[in-house]
Every structure is written in C-alpha cells, then in structure tokens.
Amino acid sequence: MRIRWKVVVPLAVVVAVLTAGVGLFYNGYGPMALRDKRVLKLKSPAAAKDRIDEFLRATMAGISPQVEYLGGDYQVTREEDHWDGEPNLKSRLFGAVTIRTRIAQVKLPRLLDQISWSWEGMGCGRVERSGPDKYNPKLTSLSCTTDDGLSVSLGASSDGSYNSVAFSGELDFVRYQPAHEYGPVSPLPTRPRTSGGVVADDAVDDPYWSH
C-alpha cells in the first residue's frame, strides 16, 4: 500500500517568501548586484565623499589671498538599471564649489595658475587648460584626473568685467547611496536662497581679486 503525503503551504508563507525575494532583488541582492560585488571594486560612499571634500578644501586653501566661496550638496548620478530591471549598485558622486569673490578679468590668470599648481601638487599629473577661443570667447576651463581616478574640472565664465568661477570633483564607481544622505559639505554652507527659491546674488567685492 502506497501512502501519499500532501504538503499544504499556507498562503501567508508564500506571500512572505515572494515579498522577501522582491525586496532582496531591489536592494542590492539580486543576481546582477551580487555579480557586481564580486567583480567590481566599488568605492564606499563615505570614503568617496571624504576624498572629494578633501580635494575641494585643499584647492581653496591654495589660493592666496584667500577668497570667499560656497560649497553645495553632493549630487549622485546612478548608473542605469541592469537589463533585468534590477537597480545598479554603481553611481558617480559629484561635489562642487562656487567662488563668491568677484574675480576681475586681469586677475583670472593668476587665480588659474594658483589652482593649477594646487592640483598638480595633489596628484594631477597634468592640468589641461583651454579657452577662451572663437567658439567659447567667454569661457576658460581647467581639468585633470588624479592617480586614484578623481576627475576635477573648473569653469570660469566672463560677463565682460568679472568672472564667475566654479569647480568640481567627481568620482566614478562609487557604491550607490542617495544624495541626501551625504549632507552638505560642512562647513561650506549651501548657497542662500530667497523666499522664492532663487539663488541669491551674494558676490563679494575684494580689494585684491576684484580690482
């Protein structure tokens, strides 16, 4: 006589298992994410933030006489989802500084020289400088990449009398973390805004750089 056993799995258990599986899939434990963890050497979010923060501060410290400046919140660009719809663990972390001090046209070359020297001293093998030219007569830029993969760029745009100067550091292959969790670049305050949400005009006149 053959005995047949019938196993009945409660519906709640099935739902719980499926829910857990979906949760793992969308939170870094799906097959593509696990493969990325084995193959890719993703930078930790905290280490990436510290590296960019350090570089931005050292750049400002290398300018003499000192200028006033503002830092902003970190921004994150996440890589596109995997082909199976699974969220990608890879992201790019970006942090920027805007110089508040008005930079006169005649003083811009000195400022760019100082920043170039700082970048070379911080691991950039060669700092590329471009512009202004006939295609971008009001724009001058600097760029370089350090040995550990930090990409840095600067843009200086002229309005005829003064230059607006901002520069940024960017790291690729960072393990994803939402931008709001990085917080502002303390103690570089975010740019103040008016009640309507528009960035305030808070440029600073300086006896050296602005004249």
Side-chain angles (χ1 to χ4, degrees), residues 168-188:
S168 63
E170 182 178 302
L171 274 172
D172 203 353
F173 286 90
V174 179
R175 191 170 64 252
Y176 176 72
Q177 174 175 288
H180 66 84
E181 294 187 19
Y182 286 98
V185 191
S186 179
L188 313 182

Side-chain angles (χ1 to χ4, degrees), residues 21-33 35-36 78-89:
V22 171
L24 291 172
F25 181 86
Y26 285 107
N27 286 279
Y29 293 94
M32 303 298 287
R35 185 206 63 181
D36 286 347
R78 191 170 190 170
E79 296 290 334
E80 293 184 359
D81 290 349
H82 290 295
W83 62 268
D84 61 354
E86 185 180 346
N88 204 316
L89 294 182

